[in-house]
Amino acid sequence: MGLDVEHKTKLHQFYELIKELRNEGIVRSDNIFGDIGEYLCTQIYPNLTLVQSKTNPGYDATEEGKKIQIKFSDSCDAKNINVGKPDEYDVLIVVLGPNSVHRYKKEDCSRKGKILFYRYTNQDVKERFITKKGFSLSQTKQFKPAEQELEL
């Protein structure tokens, strides 16, 4: 038993790409997709600075003195996005990849293939995304239109 040549090649390419992304500083931890979302935010929001700690509790970046929590999703079958504890940050930025089921429905066709960015104050999060288990974003608690977009 073992992997066929095609799968071995693809997995090898994947791990080599991750190594390159680490060397470039795009991937900083074992949370690959979260790191990519954080990096993309630094490209869209020039005043945003990632915290030095790779696993900072409560927030991922600062911007003009405010604590910023960043959440990234590109899952086509995810149910909810846990948005942390809004008392620990000032602003939430949600980054949605082209495959995310959480994309604003009206934007699906016109923005297919783009990365979408949404910003919420912690007060917005407390009012709009509260659940029995904390704070999360679901498809039924959908967004406003995206604030920013990025085409890869």
Side-chain angles (χ1 to χ4, degrees):
M1 284 204 90
L3 296 174
D4 61 41
V5 174
E6 181 182 359
H7 289 155
K8 280 184 184 181
T9 301
K10 288 180 179 179
L11 286 169
H12 177 73
Q13 291 170 339
F14 172 79
Y15 286 111
E16 286 300 311
L17 180 58
I18 297 302
K19 188 187 315 181
E20 289 176 34
L21 292 172
R22 282 186 199 281
N23 290 338
E24 295 290 325
I26 295 171
V27 171
R28 306 182 321 145
S29 71
D30 290 334
N31 181 4
I32 296 166
F33 290 110
D35 289 348
I36 291 171
E38 292 171 6
Y39 169 78
L40 292 173
C41 282
T42 66
Q43 303 305 297
I44 292 295
Y45 304 103
N47 294 328
L48 189 139
T49 303
L50 297 178
V51 295
Q52 293 298 313
S53 173
K54 297 174 187 174
T55 56
N56 192 59
Y59 63 100
D60 303 301
T62 59
E63 181 183 51
E64 300 173 354
K66 294 185 177 183
K67 297 175 184 176
I68 311 294
Q69 173 70 285
I70 300 169
K71 293 296 182 177
F72 177 82
S73 176
D74 192 42
S75 175
C76 59
D77 60 2
K79 302 292 186 255
N80 297 313
I81 300 171
N82 181 325
V83 296
K85 299 175 183 172
D87 286 333
E88 295 179 352
Y89 56 82
D90 301 303
V91 175
L92 169 68
I93 300 176
V94 178
V95 183
L96 299 181
N99 300 310
S100 177
V101 297
H102 292 89
R103 294 169 72 93
Y104 186 64
K105 298 299 181 200
K106 294 177 184 173
E107 295 173 337
D108 282 351
C109 296
S110 64
R111 295 185 171 184
K112 196 68 174 163
K114 296 180 181 180
I115 307 293
L116 303 180
F117 298 80
Y118 304 81
R119 288 175 76 106
Y120 299 94
T121 66
N122 64 350
Q123 191 60 40
D124 289 337
V125 172
K126 290 175 185 177
E127 292 171 5
R128 296 177 69 181
F129 304 136
I130 190 164
T131 67
K132 292 178 183 175
K133 296 181 181 180
F135 297 91
S136 64
L137 184 96
S138 69
Q139 287 179 275
T140 59
K141 292 183 180 178
Q142 197 36 281
F143 304 81
K144 57 191 176 187
E147 176 186 280
Q148 299 282 343
E149 61 181 48
L150 176 68
E151 188 156 359
L152 295 179

